[in-house]
Amino acid sequence: MDVLDECKALSNETRLRILNWLKDPEANFPCGDTAGLGVCAGLIQQKSGASASTVSAHLAILQRAGFLQATKRGQWIYYRRDEERIRAFTADLHSSL
């Protein structure tokens, strides 16, 4: 993905909120970060107040952009930020501007 596509992934208020919440999962979700796996998609959906399909689409966009990592355990999918990728994106953005 190039910088423009990554910026498009961030051009939605809900997606930005999700990234912000996942920056500090223990403070933003009742179960916090489950053993380093991240936060269950269901908890993200509950906090957002959006439908499950809408949140799933937002999470998929953020994952394709490289901002989130997903781990499946049984029927559950856990999401966490990819801090290294986010740092690389901000460095790329800084050098582009």
Side-chain angles (χ1 to χ4, degrees):
M1 238 184 214
D2 65 12
V3 172
L4 181 59
D5 289 330
E6 292 164 331
C7 287
K8 287 178 185 177
L10 299 175
S11 67
N12 178 279
E13 185 177 355
T14 300
R15 290 193 289 267
L16 287 174
R17 257 191 257 129
I18 290 169
L19 282 175
N20 189 43
W21 294 333
L22 292 175
K23 192 172 190 176
D24 187 1
E26 291 83 10
N28 289 297
F29 295 96
C31 298
D33 185 359
T34 307
L37 291 176
V39 175
C40 178
L43 291 176
I44 297 169
Q45 187 263 324
Q46 286 176 347
K47 186 165 182 80
S48 74
S51 70
S53 61
T54 298
V55 170
S56 179
H58 286 314
L59 293 169
I61 289 168
L62 290 169
Q63 188 179 6
R64 275 194 306 276
F67 299 129
L68 292 181
Q69 294 177 341
T71 303
K72 186 169 182 166
R73 289 287 189 262
Q75 66 182 8
W76 308 108
I77 301 176
Y78 296 87
Y79 291 91
R80 68 184 192 290
R81 290 166 47 113
D82 185 336
E83 297 298 340
E84 184 177 322
R85 180 65 203 112
I86 291 170
R87 279 191 296 279
F89 164 73
T90 58
D92 290 347
L93 185 61
H94 180 69
S95 67
S96 297
L97 296 176

